[in-house]
Amino acid sequence: MNRVMEAVLEYFNVILVRYGEIGVKGVGTRRRMEGLLVKALKEALESFKVKGKIEVSEGRIFIWEPEDVEAAVKAAARVFGVKSLSPAYATEFAGLEDLVARASEFFSEKVKGKVFRVRARRVGLHSFTSKDVERALGAKLLELGASKVNLENPEYTAYVEIRGRRLFLYDKIHEGPRGLPLGSEEPVLVLFSGGFDSTVASWTLMKRGCPVHLVHYDLGFPETVKVALEAAKFLSDNWSYGHRMKMYIVNFKGAALIVNGLVSPPYRTLVMRKLMVKHAESLAEKLGIEALATGESISQVASQTIRNIHLIERNTKLPILRPLAGMDKDEIIKISMKIGAYEINKKQIEVCGLAATPTPKGRLGRFEKELDKASDIIVPDPIEVDLKNSSLKEALEKLGLL
Ligand code: ATP
Ligand code: MG
């Protein structure tokens, strides 16, 4: 094969973007979600400095003529709502014979000597079925030097997608994050420490379409605040296309002093957590946010038993979401690795600022008495950081940490 031909065959002029759940929504919801998805995709492509034209058509999004295919795939794989992606060669065809000729030209070299299968999909009215395409193209590729067909366990799959007169040819399917586009749900305020759990919890909620904002309680350890900010900036820079994430840093040093000084040791963590939840609730109400979230996982530590979760949540009006409730720590760490946050998360040392192990089974009467002791803590207004529009350095400066 000459080099010009090779260049043509390696040429992908479009990226097919598949979206899962949006496809099964009613028309209005679907349009709105497609709009959000396109907005997020545009932002992601811009952030990866890739130009390309976006088209929405019949349950697919097409990124036409992406300048840098690899970068475009990376960018789109960071957009919630995207189920999978395939760089493809798109052309038009006239009839089955022409289709087989074009497809075999594209696939013949790639499939040479290999055990393969053809997978065809078809949308529109045609005089042939997808099965006809699979059979005809399969036979042609065998003629051109493919080794043999194996439908279950092939070395190579030649994908053919037919939409009206358009023909799309590809051989790779890259996984997207799935879920729903950011902004398709209401915002959530996450109690954010910057450790594995609250980072993965935030990501998991974003995956379901919730634009999150973060609140961090500074108990007096500058290193901890720095890592929390770094983790927040990571989520904002890499996973929040289509959303402008804010972080609120609350000076809770006074609260820590009072709790450490007055509250009995087995109840310190529980009281501290309760104070955080109360404060977060009033902050959420000011911001017009309707739910809180934490990175708690049932029984991961003594403060996260069902009994203690109940004590901490009692009398709270807003729902507290716990997306990691049923996950093991190693599952959570795996997600942190997958989304690229591991190196930052692992730096977050476990300082709760409270030199005491909590009781796994707090008692209500006692808890309320202990909580009363910290009833008049004074908390300064939070410092707001616009994560998208400020660098890490600027944010650290604003917090007086640089
Ligand atoms: P993480 O990995 O998120 O740090 P953890 O396993 O260390 O969680 P805890 O320290 O018991 O668990 O905290 C439980 C949850 O409480 C955290 O996931 C987070 O949502 C919230 N939280 C804890 N500390 C803070 C803090 N300083 N500021 C804001 N939220 C916090
Ligand atoms: Mg922690």
Side-chain angles (χ1 to χ4, degrees):
M1 188 170 53
N2 68 46
R3 297 187 59 171
V4 176
M5 188 64 141
E6 206 159 16
V8 169
L9 296 188
E10 283 305 325
Y11 175 69
F12 295 122
N13 52 2
V14 70
I15 295 173
L16 302 185
V17 181
R18 303 177 191 85
Y19 43 88
E21 239 176 277
I22 303 175
V24 299
K25 305 276 180 206
V27 182
T29 307
R30 178 171 165 166
R31 288 248 164 79
R32 191 173 70 84
M33 289 194 179
E34 281 171 348
L36 289 166
L37 190 56
V38 167
K39 177 175 162 237
L41 270 173
K42 279 188 181 152
E43 245 187 58
L45 290 172
E46 250 166 52
S47 136
F48 278 74
K49 304 197 170 23
V50 185
K51 288 211 177 74
K53 221 177 104 244
I54 295 180
E55 178 200 340
V56 185
S57 163
E58 294 162 332
R60 279 271 190 284
I61 292 178
F62 303 93
I63 305 171
W64 288 103
E65 308 288 346
E67 273 174 348
D68 176 342
V69 172
E70 211 182 308
V73 167
K74 275 193 189 147
R78 290 275 176 81
V79 173
F80 295 110
V82 170
K83 185 173 138 202
S84 65
L85 299 146
S86 295
Y89 174 65
T91 180
E92 297 212 335
F93 71 99
L96 183 58
E97 207 173 306
D98 185 38
L99 186 159
V100 170
R102 285 167 190 268
S104 56
E105 193 180 342
F106 181 82
F107 288 119
S108 63
E109 279 303 309
K110 304 180 196 297
V111 81
K112 213 161 239 169
K114 291 198 176 130
V115 177
F116 80 110
R117 69 178 167 189
V118 177
R119 274 279 168 88
R121 266 185 62 112
R122 200 178 56 79
V123 178
L125 285 173
H126 301 95
S127 59
F128 52 83
T129 65
S130 328
K131 279 274 160 282
D132 294 336
V133 173
E134 288 174 355
R135 269 194 290 267
L137 180 57
K140 185 74 187 175
L141 290 175
L142 281 173
E143 230 178 86
L144 293 172
S147 142
K148 63 178 190 171
V149 174
N150 184 331
L151 298 180
E152 261 78 62
N153 195 18
E155 286 172 81
Y156 184 90
T157 302
Y159 293 98
V160 177
E161 203 166 300
I162 302 142
R163 300 181 157 257
R165 290 269 141 252
R166 281 169 168 180
L167 174 64
F168 298 89
L169 307 168
Y170 56 94
D171 58 10
K172 285 199 178 58
I173 301 180
H174 304 273
E175 289 280 308
R178 297 168 178 258
L180 297 168
L182 260 182
S184 57
E185 252 300 340
E186 299 298 321
V188 173
L189 183 63
V190 183
L191 282 84
F192 190 79
S193 66
F196 289 109
D197 301 340
S198 43
T199 302
V200 172
S202 306
W203 186 86
T204 306
L205 291 167
M206 289 201 274
K207 182 181 168 205
R208 294 306 298 167
C210 301
V212 304
H213 297 288
L214 314 172
V215 56
H216 176 73
Y217 293 93
D218 172 7
L219 303 179
F221 303 90
E223 265 320 301
T224 307
V225 183
K226 268 188 199 171
V227 177
L229 193 63
E230 209 182 318
K233 187 77 182 129
F234 170 84
L235 284 178
S236 168
D237 287 351
N238 295 283
W239 288 104
S240 72
Y241 301 113
H243 167 49
R244 200 165 148 185
M245 194 189 282
K246 302 271 175 64
M247 184 179 193
Y248 300 87
I249 291 107
V250 184
N251 183 337
F252 237 43
K253 293 172 206 166
L257 272 180
I258 289 190
V259 171
N260 271 326
L262 302 178
V263 175
S264 141
Y267 284 85
R268 279 182 195 162
T269 305
L270 306 186
V271 167
M272 184 52 105
R273 209 62 88 225
K274 179 77 193 174
L275 295 175
M276 288 180 185
V277 166
K278 267 189 167 173
H279 182 275
E281 185 174 47
S282 69
L283 178 62
E285 277 170 349
K286 269 186 219 141
L287 298 170
I289 294 177
E290 296 174 49
L292 303 177
T294 71
E296 288 163 312
S297 147
I298 295 167
S299 251
Q300 190 192 81
V301 287
S303 60
Q304 299 175 17
T305 57
I306 295 294
R307 166 68 64 82
N308 289 341
I309 283 176
H310 181 199
L311 293 183
I312 293 166
E313 179 151 348
R314 247 181 128 255
N315 300 327
T316 306
K317 291 188 287 300
L318 293 183
I320 303 181
L321 306 174
R322 295 181 177 82
L324 311 187
M327 280 191 202
D328 295 350
K329 193 78 182 187
D330 57 345
E331 291 176 274
I332 296 165
I333 292 176
K334 229 186 242 165
I335 298 176
S336 161
M337 276 178 180
K338 190 183 80 180
I339 67 175
Y342 179 81
E343 292 301 326
I344 299 174
N345 289 156
K346 79 167 189 210
K347 286 198 287 188
Q348 191 58 299
I349 20 157
E350 283 310 319
V351 281
C352 53
L354 307 163
T357 318
T359 165
K361 240 180 172 182
R363 282 183 295 114
L364 178 58
R366 178 78 190 279
F367 174 69
E368 289 192 324
K369 260 193 212 137
E370 297 295 336
L371 187 60
D372 254 3
K373 297 180 184 169
S375 61
D376 35 53
I377 54 161
I378 295 169
V379 185
D381 281 343
I383 298 176
E384 180 185 305
V385 176
D386 182 344
L387 292 165
K388 202 147 259 180
N389 295 309
S390 40
S391 66
L392 193 59
K393 189 167 167 279
E394 284 163 344
L396 289 169
E397 272 167 4
K398 191 169 181 180
L399 293 166
L401 290 173
L402 212 68

